[in-house]
Amino acid sequence: AQSVTQLGSHVSVSEGALVLLRCNYSSSVPPYLFWYVQYPNQGLQLLLKYTSAATLVKGINGFEAEFKKSETSFHLTKPSAHMSDAAEYFCAVSEISGNTPLVFGKGTRLSVIA
Amino acid sequence: AAGVIQSPRHLIKEKRETATLKCYPIPRHDTVYWYQQGPGQDPQFLISFYEKMQSDKGSIPDRFSAQQFSDYHSELNMSSLELGDSALYFCASSPQPNQPQHFGDGTRLSIL
């Protein structure tokens, strides 16, 4: 069975500061890993994905994440936070084989302070 | 670019009523997933279809059923609605196995 743990249900940073959202996964098979962002009353937008190619993955809006197998982690970072980054962020895992559903973490709400 | 279309965006029902949610995947996407997101919760997988056949089943109640049609759109049918069914229901589609899922904006279902 697969699972995802997101450390911190709420993270607050100042505008221009580093954003770090933590995600650890558990999977008995090689995983695919994703970060999605959800703005209020909207759907989930894919930020980036890890699919067993490069371990450092660059996504949209300046976000990136690094897959670390030894730490079973896939933390999301952005060098400089912008007010528009305030949203709910979900880390998700799925199996490599087949059309498998996503298993989401509980989400981390990011607040950006001016 | 075309996205996943869900209708309706909002739906209000009373207990014991029925509801039908519709999902139109991105063109040439043959796989559809349904997720339920309760207030303040993470999305939970309900059911998925690949090439019009059910491919996986998650925590979908027996009161719910779904299908994928020949044009690849999907419908989630919900009966005997309960207060606890109030949630945001997402549909996602992907073009082929192992490709990322693209989500619609969801249907917000409120049960009174």
Side-chain angles (χ1 to χ4, degrees):
Chain A
Q2 299 174 305
S3 66
V4 168
T5 301
Q6 291 184 241
L7 299 176
S9 59
H10 186 203
V11 171
S12 184
V13 300
S14 298
E15 190 174 19
L18 172 71
V19 175
L20 171 60
L21 304 183
R22 300 177 187 274
C23 171
N24 288 90
Y25 71 91
S26 173
S27 178
S28 57
V29 298
Y32 280 171
L33 293 160
F34 307 85
W35 276 99
Y36 283 87
V37 60
Q38 185 177 32
Y39 297 98
N41 300 313
Q42 293 189 24
L44 295 156
Q45 181 182 7
L46 179 67
L47 274 178
L48 49 78
K49 63 183 185 290
Y50 166 76
T51 55
S52 73
T55 56
L56 181 62
V57 181
K58 293 188 183 299
I60 62 172
N61 301 338
F63 284 94
E64 63 180 38
E66 186 173 8
F67 173 72
K68 292 186 177 181
K69 185 177 179 180
S70 61
E71 299 177 8
T72 61
S73 68
F74 191 57
H75 302 330
L76 181 71
T77 61
K78 182 174 180 178
S80 176
H82 192 273
M83 297 297 289
S84 61
D85 293 328
E88 188 86 18
Y89 290 80
F90 290 96
C91 181
V93 63
S94 72
E95 293 183 11
I96 285 180
S97 58
N99 276 321
T100 56
L102 294 169
V103 175
F104 288 89
K106 296 297 183 185
T108 297
R109 180 169 300 278
L110 175 66
S111 297
V112 182
I113 304 168
Chain B
V4 177
I5 306 297
Q6 290 188 246
S7 68
R9 288 297 311 277
H10 303 274
L11 188 58
I12 299 175
K13 292 286 184 178
E14 296 192 355
K15 288 193 301 184
R16 293 179 289 277
E17 286 191 322
T18 61
T20 296
L21 309 185
K22 297 185 179 183
C23 169
Y24 298 87
I26 294 171
R28 291 179 294 281
H29 283 201
D30 55 15
T31 306
V32 167
Y33 306 80
W34 285 97
Y35 293 86
Q36 177 192 57
Q37 186 180 27
Q41 302 295 313
D42 56 297
Q44 295 289 319
F45 170 68
L46 293 177
I47 195 166
S48 63
F49 294 87
Y50 170 62
E51 282 291 344
K52 293 156 280 185
M53 299 288 290
Q54 181 181 309
S55 58
D56 209 338
K57 193 172 183 179
S59 52
I60 184 170
D62 292 340
R63 300 176 288 109
F64 294 5
S65 65
Q67 57 182 321
Q68 186 178 32
F69 295 85
S70 57
D71 63 352
Y72 294 102
H73 95 272
S74 178
E75 295 184 2
L76 177 65
N77 299 292
M78 311 160 74
S79 63
S80 303
L81 288 168
E82 302 173 355
L83 293 176
D85 296 329
S86 294
L88 198 52
Y89 290 83
F90 287 110
C91 172
S93 72
S94 66
Q96 53 185 289
N98 307 327
Q99 294 298 308
Q101 297 174 27
H102 298 263
F103 284 76
D105 284 339
T107 294
R108 184 170 296 282
L109 175 64
S110 299
I111 309 301
L112 304 180

